[in-house]
Amino acid sequence: NFIQCYKDVLSLPSMTLAELEIGLIFPQQSPLMARLMSALLVHPQLHERYIKNRRPMSYRVWNVCIIRLLHCWRTVVEYCGQSKAVHLFRVSEKSLSLANDALTNDFHHLNLGRRCDTLYALCEYALSCQLQFDGASVSKSSEPAANVEILGEDRHSKLVFHFPHITNSCIRIYRQKQERPCTSSASSSTSSESDGRKKSDSGAAKVAVNLDKPMSLCCRDFSGLKSYMRSTEKVGCMPLLSAMRSFYTNLV
């Protein structure tokens, strides 16, 4: 999602989600990963010279570059503290925490989850370098959180959603447990019924997908989509089923 949103800003190669998944599974043999990592690891000021007019880095080269970058991050964290490192590199604390795990491992030795986290950390870092170099800012409409379409809730009150710009190339529907705001039992018992309605309405309006929290994949192809629609109909989640049918109609 992050890569699709900032692909033009970071001068990244065009790709589908399926191609990216294969590249992450087989990074040593993937020409896409070579082009992607080359674009992320070379400073924007040098893109014209090294990216557009030369062959992409080999796996051996970009793997060493990642290890050296993570070593630099860990050194700054150890000597200056994590808050200083976050401000300096403009990456999240989660991304900085990767330095401890990935420092002594080649990229292909990491598990798939760590490979995804490492790629996301590189995207964050490349984006900060690009914005500093251009002196520009990214509009809110291009941020990943702004590119989520919520389809509804399932029987477990989990949000069901997808990313429209990704769905153009392949089907991916996700779900995520909602974070319900905590309310005082004492205040709720004394509040009136109308006040309760206002609170519930305002709470529903604030429902949103948190991209920093875990999410699970519901379906990844037409067969899975049809199966998920049938199971949704069986359990009686009619609003979600209606949204899923509209989603399916737009695809076909």
Side-chain angles (χ1 to χ4, degrees):
N1 184 36
F2 189 101
I3 289 176
Q4 292 294 339
C5 288
Y6 295 128
K7 182 181 63 172
D8 295 334
V9 177
L10 298 176
S11 301
L12 301 179
S14 299
M15 71 193 80
T16 65
L17 184 56
E19 290 172 338
L20 180 59
E21 289 172 342
I22 294 174
L24 287 168
I25 295 172
F26 305 106
Q28 294 167 287
Q29 297 84 20
S30 173
L32 173 63
M33 290 299 291
R35 290 184 288 126
L36 179 58
M37 291 300 186
S38 297
L40 292 175
L41 291 166
V42 173
H43 192 277
Q45 190 174 3
L46 303 175
H47 269 207
E48 189 69 31
R49 184 188 307 174
Y50 290 102
I51 301 300
K52 297 182 179 180
N53 300 322
R54 296 191 182 186
R55 295 177 60 184
M57 300 178 187
S58 65
Y59 171 78
R60 180 180 60 83
V61 173
W62 64 256
N63 179 63
V64 170
C65 289
I66 291 177
I67 292 176
R68 289 178 177 174
L69 177 62
L70 294 178
H71 177 76
C72 176
W73 288 4
R74 191 177 76 167
T75 301
V76 173
V77 171
E78 289 178 348
Y79 286 93
C80 302
Q82 188 151 312
S83 59
K84 181 69 174 179
V86 169
H87 176 74
L88 179 63
F89 298 117
R90 297 178 183 270
V91 297
S92 62
E93 294 183 1
K94 179 182 179 181
S95 295
L96 284 177
S97 68
L98 293 172
N100 295 326
D101 296 333
L103 186 65
T104 57
N105 290 295
D106 290 330
F107 189 83
H108 68 280
H109 286 154
L110 301 173
N111 62 48
L112 189 57
R114 280 300 184 185
R115 294 179 198 180
C116 294
D117 290 340
T118 301
L119 178 59
Y120 180 79
L122 293 176
C123 288
E124 275 194 325
Y125 180 63
L127 180 63
S128 69
C129 292
Q130 181 69 50
L131 296 183
Q132 289 177 11
F133 173 63
D134 288 343
S137 60
V138 177
S139 65
K140 289 292 183 181
S141 61
S142 65
E143 292 183 358
N147 289 279
V148 178
E149 182 178 334
I150 297 176
L151 297 171
E153 296 183 9
D154 64 8
R155 60 173 177 164
H156 302 293
S157 298
K158 292 184 177 181
L159 286 178
V160 179
F161 59 94
H162 74 109
F163 302 100
H165 54 291
I166 293 179
T167 308
N168 292 333
S169 58
C170 55
I171 299 173
R172 293 292 189 279
I173 295 181
Y174 303 86
R175 61 181 177 181
Q176 183 182 70
K177 183 178 180 181
Q178 297 186 58
E179 296 180 349
R180 301 288 185 181
C182 296
T183 56
S184 170
S185 58
S187 60
S188 62
S189 61
T190 56
S191 61
S192 64
E193 185 178 353
S194 60
D195 290 340
R197 284 201 199 94
K198 291 180 181 179
K199 289 180 180 178
S200 62
D201 291 343
S202 62
K206 295 179 181 178
V207 168
V209 175
N210 188 339
L211 299 182
D212 294 326
K213 298 295 182 181
M215 61 186 74
S216 58
L217 185 64
C218 295
C219 57
R220 58 185 304 159
D221 51 31
F222 275 105
S223 176
L225 177 58
K226 291 178 181 178
S227 176
Y228 189 69
M229 289 171 62
R230 286 194 295 268
S231 63
T232 301
E233 185 175 12
K234 286 181 180 179
V235 297
C237 294
M238 303 314 294
L240 176 58
L241 178 62
S242 176
M244 296 283 287
R245 284 174 173 169
S246 298
F247 173 76
Y248 178 81
T249 303
N250 292 333
L251 288 177
V252 298

